[in-house]
């Protein structure tokens, strides 16, 4: 199964539809499968005095969500732009009202962010749509995640995630991928908050079929996510790396099948070669032969078996010895 690569555009558009559309276009050029935004509805999901995360204190959470929100017509335009660019439009939901709006829009799947895992009513509403669910586990205990996975329906992919921005290497939790797969019997993925692509590459090798990475056109942009996100050249590198890893993982190599390396073996391996002129009828001694390139004669590993055999004809010095030269 191909890895589903998601560019997490989030709210980095800062309320500009044109910026959001351009993010989708650039992410598509980088080769991702989907571009994910966040449908925040301030009235439906947060109180006016709810605190902002510690890494973003520019404005209140409520005002930020209200100021950057798109109306339904704008969401429809953004979805259409994604489809025109050849990528799936994906959205995280944070309220049941958001689910209702996206259902009218006709999305293909849903993303439930780490902060909504304990909001079981929302998880159940999403599951009731019958569409695939990506469930992120960044701040959940096992009991909390057990309940959410149980509520998410049959078609759920559980993503390992650590809700630290940026996530240090020792907090990535790659070991959790195997634990998730064993515990739930579901596909697993990885939502990456590290700087760089190493963690995502490792997750793919460990079986992640979904990889999500925050994306921005520039880390200098305003907002909570831009400074931790990948710029276009880094996102392109992520996609290229994932596709290379897919090819590697899908193409097991038989170490005994060396036929395709025959030409290289002749160039780089060694044969039994005469070190001096060997007269016809002479018995081959160790001083008469050595292992030298190329590998077109009797293989060097068989040198001991050549000793004691006789030359059929005169063998000049520095000659690759083949079976037809020996009795």
């Amino acid at each position: 199964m191909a890895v589903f690569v998601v560019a997490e555009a989030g709210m980095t558009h800062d309320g500009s539809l044109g910026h959001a559309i351009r993010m989708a276009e650039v992410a598509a050029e980088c080769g991702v499968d989907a571009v994910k935004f966040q449908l925040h509805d301030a009235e439906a999901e947060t109180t006016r005095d709810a605190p902002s995360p510690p890494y973003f204190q520019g404005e209140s959470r409520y005002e930020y969500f209200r100021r950057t929100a798109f109306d339904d017509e704008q969401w429809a335009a953004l979805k259409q732009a994604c489809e025109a660019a050849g990528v799936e439009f994906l959205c995280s939901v944070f309220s049941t009202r958001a689910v209702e709006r996206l259902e009218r829009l006709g999305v293909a799947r849903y993303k439930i962010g780490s902060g909504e895992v304990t909001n079981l009513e929302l998880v159940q509403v999403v599951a009731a749509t019958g569409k695939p669910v990506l469930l992120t586990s960044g701040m959940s205990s096992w009991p909390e995640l057990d309940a959410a996975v149980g509520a998410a329906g049959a078609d759920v992919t559980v993503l390992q995630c650590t809700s630290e921005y940026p996530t240090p290497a020792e907090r990535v939790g790659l070991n959790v991928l195997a634990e998730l797969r064993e515990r739930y019997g579901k596909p697993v993925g990885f939502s990456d908050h590290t700087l760089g692509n190493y963690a995502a590459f490792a997750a793919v090798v460990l079986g992640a079929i979904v990889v999500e990475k925050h994306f921005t056109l520039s880390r200098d942009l305003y907002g909570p996510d831009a400074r931790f996100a990948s710029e276009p050249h880094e996102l392109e590198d992520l996609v290229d790396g994932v596709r290379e890893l897919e090819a590697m993982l899908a193409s097991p190599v038989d170490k005994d099948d060396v036929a395709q390396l025959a030409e290289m073996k002749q160039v780089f391996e060694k044969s039994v070669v005469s070190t001096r002129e060997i007269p016809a009828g002479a018995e081959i001694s160790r001083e008469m032969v050595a292992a030298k390139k190329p590998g077109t004669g009797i293989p060097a590993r068989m040198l001991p078996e050549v000793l004691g055999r006789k030359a059929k004809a005169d063998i000049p010095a520095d000659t690759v010895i083949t079976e037809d030269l020996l009795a």
Side-chain angles (χ1 to χ4, degrees), residues 97-113:
R97 186 187 298 175
V99 179
E100 293 167 1
R101 293 174 67 184
L102 290 177
E103 278 299 285
R104 291 195 295 270
L105 199 59
V107 295
R109 78 187 78 212
Y110 283 91
K111 169 70 186 298
I112 295 176

Side-chain angles (χ1 to χ4, degrees), residues 82-93:
C82 287
E83 292 167 351
V87 292
E88 181 180 322
F89 169 82
L90 182 59
C91 213
S92 293
V93 289

Side-chain angles (χ1 to χ4, degrees), residues 23 30 41 43 57 64 103 119 151 177 190 196 213 222 257:
M23 290 185 76
C30 293
D41 188 319
E43 291 288 346
Q57 298 293 321
Y64 178 68
E103 278 299 285
N119 186 358
L177 289 164
F190 182 61
K213 188 78 171 176
Y222 177 79
D257 181 11

Side-chain angles (χ1 to χ4, degrees), residues 86-236:
V87 292
E88 181 180 322
F89 169 82
L90 182 59
C91 213
S92 293
V93 289
F94 302 86
S95 65
T96 57
R97 186 187 298 175
V99 179
E100 293 167 1
R101 293 174 67 184
L102 290 177
E103 278 299 285
R104 291 195 295 270
L105 199 59
V107 295
R109 78 187 78 212
Y110 283 91
K111 169 70 186 298
I112 295 176
S114 297
E116 302 301 318
V117 168
T118 58
N119 186 358
L120 293 181
E121 180 184 40
L122 176 62
V123 178
Q124 291 164 349
V125 168
V126 168
T129 68
K131 294 174 181 176
V133 178
L134 304 179
L135 179 69
T136 312
S137 60
M139 55 186 76
S140 307
S141 66
W142 283 117
E144 290 169 340
L145 196 55
D146 289 346
V149 172
D155 195 354
V156 58
T157 300
V158 189
L159 277 61
Q160 164 57 8
C161 172
T162 302
S163 296
E164 295 181 31
Y165 303 86
T167 302
E170 62 272 15
R171 296 280 293 156
V172 168
L174 291 173
N175 61 293
V176 180
L177 289 164
E179 295 178 37
L180 290 170
R181 189 184 299 108
E182 181 177 356
R183 190 179 187 97
Y184 302 123
K186 301 289 186 182
V188 299
F190 182 61
S191 183
D192 187 8
H193 294 153
T194 67
L195 299 178
N197 293 330
Y198 298 153
F201 293 155
V204 170
V205 173
L206 293 173
I209 66 163
V210 175
V211 169
E212 178 184 55
K213 188 78 171 176
H214 277 275
F215 169 61
T216 182
L217 297 182
S218 169
R219 276 193 283 271
D220 292 330
L221 292 171
Y222 177 79
D225 298 326
R227 61 193 172 118
F228 306 121
S230 295
E231 292 184 337
H233 70 283
E234 296 164 319
L235 184 65
E236 185 174 18

